[in-house]
Amino acid sequence: DAGVIQSPRHEVTEMGQEVTLRCKPISGHDYLFWYRQTMMRGLELLIYFNNNVPIDDSGMPEDRFSAKMPNASFSTLKIQPSEPRDSAVYFCASTASRLAGGSYNEQFFGPGTRLTVL
Amino acid sequence: GQQVMQIPQYQHVQEGEDFTTYCNSSTTLSNIQWYKQRPGGHPVFLIQLVKSGEVKKQKRLTFQFGEAKKNSSLHITATQTTDVGTYFCARSGSYIPTFGRGTSLIVHP
């Protein structure tokens, strides 16, 4: 298995621009998570999906952030408009529940997208 | 949400020295997970502890879960430069983990 795939790996944009981050979870996993990691705040859970349905988006910083999961193999995290304080590494992770054949509910992280907003 | 606290935040050791990081919760944990993140990398799952007093070993790494299931520790014996990274504990409830801030280990050759 290729693992969780994220694109792009690096994104540099200017303040005010729209940014779209993409994620392909591991096939068969029924949970998908979006995290943001910064030195100041550590690893923050932004939103998670179960069977493509958003369950909890209380970690999304503000309305500028939105996430979708149109199908089991694809999710996007969009920031519009972007601001310099959004600069961070954004991770996508997936998990297989016991119903989906998982055992440890361990999280499998993608390589992350390093976002820099100038 | 209910948090887990990790100490220390940073630890510098000479190669060959031992290292321990601690994870504490004010409430009882159903389980505790440990992850390692290499510099520039992503968190990678190491282990999950479920039982009170559980001890598990992975080569030079020893993981413990407290008797009261409110704390956990990760001990590395004779550190190597390959152990460099940040070690996170995470409480996991219903597949939704809450990560600690992590302990960054710096190993000096």
Side-chain angles (χ1 to χ4, degrees), chain B residues 28-64:
Chain B
T28 302
L29 302 165
S30 56
N31 62 58
I32 194 82
Q33 297 179 339
W34 286 93
Y35 292 77
K36 176 183 179 182
Q37 183 178 18
R38 294 182 186 275
H42 58 277
V44 175
F45 176 81
L46 294 176
I47 207 160
Q48 176 168 287
L49 305 174
V50 178
K51 299 177 183 177
S52 168
E54 190 170 13
V55 178
K56 288 188 177 180
K57 291 192 175 185
Q58 290 179 353
K59 297 183 180 178
R60 294 177 295 103
L61 276 61
T62 302
F63 304 85
Q64 290 189 305

Side-chain angles (χ1 to χ4, degrees), chain A residues 23-25 32 49 51-53 68-76:
Chain A
C23 175
K24 175 179 169 54
L32 183 140
F49 297 80
N51 291 322
N52 315 337
V53 176
K68 294 182 179 180
M69 192 166 185
N71 58 64
S73 59
F74 185 65
S75 177
T76 59

Side-chain angles (χ1 to χ4, degrees), chain A residues 1 24-31 51 72-73 94-97 99-102:
Chain A
D1 199 321
K24 175 179 169 54
I26 292 173
S27 177
H29 283 192
D30 52 348
Y31 280 84
N51 291 322
S73 59
S94 68
T95 294
S97 69
L99 286 174

Side-chain angles (χ1 to χ4, degrees), chain B residues 38-105:
Chain B
R38 294 182 186 275
H42 58 277
V44 175
F45 176 81
L46 294 176
I47 207 160
Q48 176 168 287
L49 305 174
V50 178
K51 299 177 183 177
S52 168
E54 190 170 13
V55 178
K56 288 188 177 180
K57 291 192 175 185
Q58 290 179 353
K59 297 183 180 178
R60 294 177 295 103
L61 276 61
T62 302
F63 304 85
Q64 290 189 305
F65 203 5
E67 294 288 343
K69 300 183 72 173
K70 288 186 176 182
N71 56 70
S72 180
S73 65
L74 159 58
H75 179 82
I76 302 178
T77 304
T79 55
Q80 300 175 358
T81 54
T82 53
D83 296 325
V84 165
T86 301
Y87 293 85
F88 294 94
C89 65
R91 65 181 302 156
S92 180
S94 300
Y95 309 108
I96 314 307
T98 301
F99 285 84
R101 292 298 302 270
T103 296
S104 293
L105 172 63

